[in-house]
Amino acid sequence: MKDFFRYFFGQGDTAEFSLLTPAHLAPILVMLAVIFLIYRKRDALRQSRHEENIRYVLAFALIVSEMSYYWRLVGMPVLQPNPVDHLPIAVCGWAVIFCSYMLVGKKQSLFDIVYFWLLSGSLFALITPTPLTYAGPTRFRYYQFWAEHTLGYVAIFYMIFVHGMRPTVRAAIKSFCALVILAVIAYGVNVMLPGANYLYMARPEAAPSVLDILPANFALRLAVMTFIIAVMYVLAYLPWYFKDKRTAACREEEAAAV
């Protein structure tokens, strides 16, 4: 039994995970299926007497998925966790915390932040989940990663479909400012702590990822990252822009008909 737990909670020495394989695509498809079911059952969920409990359970699952990452490191000294690498300066980690409080309190202000963070930054973690290079489907880290990175999307679309939340231009600006504050903190920590690479601002990741296209020069790297994130923010808001345009056009047609 000890050997099993040592293996399950440990990490391999060779690559165990590959991009665009069933192990990569299956969790994403499950996430999309859950979001689709929430959309189909949105009215029933909204009127259910258990609706509040559903939000609480989802918030609890988010917190556990985030905390279990650290519990594993503490419980497995063989992993040689370095405190420098695990400070709370990550978009995904804060997105999980904000999503949890958003669900419990139905906070539009937190939705404004995490909607753009998830669809503009954390989305790359789904495309190239590099932390899983040495942790395949037989490892705890695999399931912890996907729970942490997919439940946030379930949470924001739950609030959209069930509670009618939506982003605005002002929300995008607020979210971007919050990201800039986190980036300034990350930069300061990267400078002060040798080896730190928060928000991947210092250097590319060790494993292949979409960030490999970024230049090594810090100034150019920061400029390209800022541009890409700004474009992603615009793309994340575009569906709502077109929805508002279509709604305005329909109202004008109705007014003209009268």
Side-chain angles (χ1 to χ4, degrees), residues 87-108:
L87 297 176
I89 313 173
V91 171
C92 294
W94 279 107
V96 166
I97 295 171
F98 289 162
C99 279
S100 301
Y101 281 100
M102 171 193 71
L103 287 164
V104 172
K106 294 193 289 188
K107 298 291 187 180
Q108 176 72 46

Side-chain angles (χ1 to χ4, degrees), residues 249-258:
C250 290
R251 287 176 179 171
E252 289 178 2
E253 291 177 1
E254 291 174 358
V258 173

Side-chain angles (χ1 to χ4, degrees), residues 110-165:
L110 293 177
F111 173 88
D112 292 342
I113 294 175
V114 296
Y115 174 84
F116 289 100
W117 278 16
L118 289 176
L119 293 181
S120 304
S122 297
L123 187 63
F124 293 113
L126 301 186
I127 299 173
T128 55
T130 53
L132 296 182
T133 301
Y134 301 103
T138 60
R139 308 279 188 173
F140 171 81
R141 172 62 168 143
Y142 172 86
Y143 299 98
Q144 181 275 324
F145 175 90
W146 286 114
E148 177 185 0
H149 287 81
T150 59
L151 287 177
Y153 292 91
V154 172
I156 61 172
F157 282 103
Y158 182 92
M159 300 309 289
I160 290 172
F161 296 140
V162 178
H163 290 285
M165 290 188 179

